[in-house]
Amino acid sequence: AGETFTSPSLAAMNAFVKGQEILFLGKREEAIQWFEKALDNDPNLGRAYVSLGTIYSNLQQHDKAQKYYQMAFARIDQMTEREKYRTRGSYYIIKRNYPKAIEEFTALLEKFPADSVGYMNLALAYFFAREMAKAAEVGRHAVELYPKDVTKRYNLVWYLIGAGDLSLIHI
């Protein structure tokens, strides 16, 4: 939900969406198969490479993560402006360059102010950068925009705890 991507292949689009749905359920290995299927149908689907890079980073398989991000960056000129911000921002998060991630996601939200993924990742970048008050502020705004999103609400609790603001934990 909330992902943006570009592909001329309907089969690639379907596989990519299925991969996102499966990943949202926490089934990383199965999601990998769907993203690979998307790439079989469209080897230029840059956001599928980003998804694989992110999964492998989360699995602590950093060489694979780097490989997939490099493949995404090789196709960045084919991405929309929104996809480019998301790609660079998520790459900076996995590389632990939080100031650059904050810069990318801030720019994304300036141009696309309702971007759900942008808010989620901007708050996360602030959290990792140990800027807890900013993480809580962005997380709070994300919950205001998407009040039914359980993940955003869950993350906000952690940001509020980190910021020492326990006044809203009842949300």
Side-chain angles (χ1 to χ4, degrees), residues 15-26:
F16 182 81
V17 168
K18 184 69 171 175
Q20 289 292 323
E21 291 170 355
I22 296 296
L23 183 59
F24 184 72
L25 297 173

Side-chain angles (χ1 to χ4, degrees), residues 13-163:
M13 293 169 72
N14 286 331
F16 182 81
V17 168
K18 184 69 171 175
Q20 289 292 323
E21 291 170 355
I22 296 296
L23 183 59
F24 184 72
L25 297 173
K27 299 177 181 179
R28 292 178 183 158
E29 297 299 328
E30 191 177 341
I32 289 170
Q33 294 171 0
W34 283 101
F35 293 128
E36 288 174 345
K37 184 175 181 179
L39 291 170
D40 288 343
N41 288 288
D42 181 3
N44 290 315
L45 180 49
R47 292 298 296 167
Y49 292 109
V50 171
S51 295
L52 287 166
T54 301
I55 291 171
Y56 283 116
S57 177
N58 291 334
L59 292 171
Q60 304 300 309
Q61 295 181 31
H62 302 294
D63 289 342
K64 281 187 177 180
Q66 185 66 28
K67 174 184 115 177
Y68 283 110
Y69 266 98
Q70 291 310 314
M71 294 171 88
F73 281 119
R75 292 154 178 85
I76 202 158
D77 289 342
Q78 299 170 32
M79 294 179 189
T80 65
E81 183 179 22
R82 190 174 189 176
E83 292 172 302
K84 289 175 185 179
Y85 284 121
R86 286 178 166 194
T87 296
R88 290 186 302 255
S90 62
Y91 179 73
Y92 289 132
I93 285 177
I94 71 159
K95 295 308 276 183
R96 297 185 173 128
N97 187 341
Y98 306 123
K100 290 293 285 180
I102 290 166
E103 182 181 311
E104 290 293 332
F105 287 118
T106 298
L108 170 68
L109 292 170
E110 286 173 1
K111 295 191 181 230
F112 304 96
D115 191 290
S116 174
V117 173
Y119 282 105
M120 180 176 68
N121 286 323
L122 179 58
L124 184 64
Y126 277 125
F127 181 78
F128 286 148
R130 294 182 171 80
E131 294 185 39
M132 300 306 176
K134 289 295 287 181
E137 175 187 331
V138 173
R140 204 177 268 122
H141 188 66
V143 168
E144 289 169 3
L145 287 174
Y146 303 96
K148 294 182 180 180
D149 188 319
V150 175
T151 302
K152 286 177 182 50
R153 295 171 83 74
Y154 174 81
N155 289 348
L156 176 57
V157 170
W158 287 107
Y159 304 148
L160 292 169
I161 290 169

